[in-house]
Amino acid sequence: MKKILSAALALLCLAPAAQAAEKPWKHGALKVSENGQYFRHEDGTPFFWLGETGWLLPERLDRDEAGYYLGRAAKAGYNVVQVQTINGVPSYNAYGALSHPDGWDFSNIDKPGTYGYWDHMDYIVSTAERHGIYIGMVCIWGGLVKSGAMDTVQAKAYGEFLAKRYGSRPNIVWIIGGDIQGNIKTEVWDTLATTIRRIDPGHMMTFHPRGRTTSAKWFGDREWLDFNMFQSGHRRYDQRMGNKEYPIPDNTEEDCWMYVDSAHVYSPDKPVLDGEPSYEDIPQGLHSDNEPRWTDRDVRRYAYWDVFAGAAGHTYGHNSIMQMARPGVAGAYFADGVRKPWYLAMEDPGFNQMIHLKRLMLSLPYFDRRPAQELIEENGTKYDRLIATRGNDYLLVYNHTGRQVKADLSAISGKKKNIWWMDAATGSLTYIGKASGRYSYTPEGKADGVLIAIDERRDYIKPGQSTLEEAPKPIDTSLLVE
């Protein structure tokens, strides 16, 4: 098995070394857009959050592995990687270094001649920076705070340490919480957040909540919360699983779009995104290996439903990658590190398909985009639900099941509109022709995808285009032999 991992990492040598990746922060720090819905840089450049879930990256990967993972994530289009900075008190990393050798006293954390836990975290942040990736730094996992592993005094000390160490880095987004309800140890989360914000006012901050909940419920009015995050979670329609306090109606478990809608009812209104939808290759409902596993088609549906409902981006996740499963490392939620270690899971289709959504959104005028369900006629429910988003001169409709689309094109500018179908799995474009008024289209025999209508006077996409941009080429896994 060691030969498999060595072969995978050796492939790094076959590619150009650390090419000069686009550094998004060259456009300035991340800000909330003027309409309060999306992200932009200081110079006005739009930022579409395409996140990758690398929860246990700091704990389980060594330097070579971390470099390989971040390079592959960048190649697949991800510009944010969400990590658990610590998942224990103390946490141990791949080198056996402790996160808390002196408890919550970090004054002597950098010991001469020692490659410590935080030296390794520094390396991860620096490597991500070279690849143009933000680190979404979940400071401490929620279960640790719930169990009493960090109180308000310790949160202040920890917040000061983190902010002073990483506040000057350009590629940080602070994530408070970590799979927990905001009414549990609220004072600890507020202390941690306000401490970091006092020292580092220049980076954006949010809160990662429990499944099927949104940060807006508990922290929407906080000055430190720049945008809302929700976790649509991993349950299937019908998997209420006996939870009497389930915060959503029965049989809406997969309707991630409704969390976008619900976040916008809180005041003040802030950008929102799904920080943890169903992961690729994880059992539906999480808790039984006998259940079907979520596939690439499912993760595409979550992504397009979220974004077209008005989210400021989306975070993808994979069962093996999020916990860096591999031979000899036990994986939760029935991840099989022998069958599918993290470095082979990056070849799974969903991991490499999210880039098509990002390219689509950035190919069109960004800040005038808004939900457009009113332009859909004869809509369906559950998987048959069509979801639409529009700008002043374009309309996009995501169709998960290949059903007939009926849409009113008269609401966007132009007497005639150019029409395309984009395959969500491949990003390939098929030019259909021109249309106007009430329009009907059935993508017979096609997989899930997006109907695109653009004012014919605009050239955001040209009729002759076959793709928005060439997709990343997968690594030749035939090289990964024992």
Side-chain angles (χ1 to χ4, degrees):
M1 291 302 176
K2 289 182 179 178
K3 291 181 180 179
I4 295 176
L5 181 56
S6 298
L9 297 177
L11 291 173
L12 282 173
C13 299
L14 302 180
Q19 296 177 352
E22 168 77 9
K23 305 299 193 298
W25 39 86
K26 76 177 184 179
H27 299 287
L30 284 180
K31 304 288 183 183
V32 173
S33 63
E34 280 71 10
N35 65 5
Q37 305 297 299
Y38 305 116
F39 305 132
R40 66 167 179 84
H41 292 280
E42 285 179 311
D43 69 357
T45 303
F47 179 79
F48 180 83
W49 175 298
L50 187 62
E52 207 307 274
T53 308
W55 289 140
L56 292 182
L57 162 62
E59 292 84 6
R60 289 190 170 172
L61 300 192
D62 64 23
R63 288 169 65 99
D64 289 340
E65 293 165 338
Y68 175 75
Y69 164 71
L70 290 166
R72 284 300 313 279
K75 187 177 181 181
Y78 297 100
N79 51 23
V80 181
V81 170
Q82 297 173 192
V83 304
Q84 287 184 26
T85 307
I86 56 173
N87 72 333
V89 181
S91 283
Y92 294 80
N93 66 17
Y95 298 97
L98 279 72
S99 60
H100 291 66
D102 301 313
W104 294 99
D105 179 1
F106 297 99
S107 58
N108 295 309
I109 196 68
D110 295 314
K111 303 187 186 303
T114 299
Y115 185 69
Y117 188 94
W118 298 101
D119 295 309
H120 191 48
M121 192 69 213
D122 296 345
Y123 174 81
I124 289 169
V125 173
S126 295
T127 304
E129 181 181 351
R130 288 199 300 274
H131 287 291
I133 291 175
Y134 287 90
I135 291 294
M137 191 172 285
V138 179
C139 305
I140 181 172
W141 204 240
L144 299 174
V145 173
K146 182 179 180 180
S147 68
M150 185 177 78
D151 59 25
T152 55
V153 173
Q154 295 161 338
K156 186 174 184 294
Y158 185 45
E160 288 177 349
F161 165 70
L162 289 176
K164 290 175 181 177
R165 194 171 188 104
Y166 299 109
S168 62
R169 299 298 190 100
N171 60 323
I172 296 294
V173 176
W174 299 109
I175 304 180
I176 309 302
D179 197 27
I180 191 169
Q181 295 174 192
N183 59 348
I184 298 174
K185 300 296 180 74
T186 306
E187 69 284 359
V188 176
W189 301 121
D190 272 325
T191 299
L192 180 62
T194 55
T195 299
I196 293 173
R197 175 53 57 90
R198 172 175 52 81
I199 298 169
D200 175 26
H203 289 114
M204 291 203 306
M205 184 179 290
T206 189
F207 181 93
H208 178 278
R210 186 76 170 165
R212 294 157 299 281
T213 64
T214 172
S215 62
K217 180 177 181 179
W218 301 289
F219 301 110
D221 63 345
R222 300 299 204 272
E223 181 277 332
W224 56 260
L225 190 101
D226 296 297
F227 64 98
N228 283 303
M229 182 175 280
F230 64 90
Q231 179 188 161
S232 58
H234 309 275
R235 292 187 185 177
R236 185 183 64 236
Y237 290 127
D238 78 19
Q239 286 184 324
R240 190 177 185 92
M241 304 176 76
N243 188 339
K244 294 180 180 179
E245 297 181 359
Y246 209 38
I248 62 174
D250 285 338
N251 296 312
T252 62
E253 286 80 0
E254 297 180 51
D255 290 341
C256 54
W257 49 267
M258 72 181 186
Y259 296 101
V260 181
D261 293 346
S262 67
H264 288 312
V265 306
Y266 290 89
S267 182
D269 195 11
K270 297 179 179 181
V272 62
L273 61 84
D274 195 344
E276 188 173 333
S278 291
Y279 293 153
E280 189 170 12
D281 199 36
I282 204 168
Q284 296 176 7
L286 295 182
H287 303 300
S288 172
D289 198 24
N290 295 323
E291 294 286 354
R293 296 198 175 213
W294 296 113
T295 68
D296 60 302
R297 193 158 180 263
D298 297 305
V299 299
R300 293 196 301 271
R301 172 170 54 86
Y302 273 78
Y304 285 87
W305 275 3
D306 279 336
V307 172
F308 283 21
H314 186 74
T315 297
Y316 161 90
H318 191 292
N319 192 23
S320 291
I321 300 172
M322 64 96 173
Q323 53 190 318
M324 304 302 170
R326 62 181 175 188
V329 177
Y333 309 116
F334 312 99
D336 187 339
V338 174
R339 177 184 66 85
K340 187 174 290 183
W342 63 267
Y343 41 87
L344 291 187
M346 287 189 290
E347 302 306 318
D348 275 8
F351 179 86
N352 294 288
Q353 291 166 351
M354 296 295 106
I355 193 171
H356 305 311
L357 171 60
K358 176 186 172 186
R359 286 171 174 166
L360 176 63
M361 304 320 296
L362 292 176
S363 68
L364 300 165
Y366 194 74
F367 297 114
D368 63 356
R369 180 172 68 86
R370 53 201 183 274
Q373 289 305 99
E374 73 281 0
L375 303 185
I376 300 297
E377 300 176 358
E378 301 177 17
N379 208 343
T381 60
K382 294 188 177 178
Y383 300 135
D384 275 336
R385 177 183 172 87
L386 303 170
I387 193 158
T389 187
R390 59 163 292 192
N392 295 327
D393 50 15
Y394 66 88
L395 173 68
L396 309 176
V397 183
Y398 174 72
N399 184 345
H400 181 64
T401 60
R403 56 164 298 190
Q404 184 182 42
V405 179
K406 292 183 178 180
D408 181 5
L409 304 185
S410 64
I412 62 175
S413 68
K415 291 182 179 180
K416 292 284 188 179
K417 286 80 178 177
N418 283 318
I419 310 294
W420 294 261
W421 175 263
M422 189 189 87
D423 187 310
T426 66
S428 64
L429 294 167
T430 301
Y431 182 65
I432 299 169
K434 296 182 186 296
S436 61
R438 284 180 164 76
Y439 176 72
S440 176
Y441 177 70
T442 302
E444 296 179 2
K446 293 184 172 67
D448 62 305
V450 180
L451 184 74
I452 303 171
I454 301 176
D455 184 333
E456 66 175 346
R457 298 170 298 177
R458 307 291 187 254
D459 63 353
Y460 310 134
I461 302 173
K462 296 177 174 60
Q465 277 185 252
S466 60
T467 184
L468 295 174
E469 195 173 335
E470 185 179 0
K473 292 180 174 62
I475 281 181
D476 182 359
T477 56
S478 66
L479 297 173
L480 305 180
V481 295
E482 297 209 37

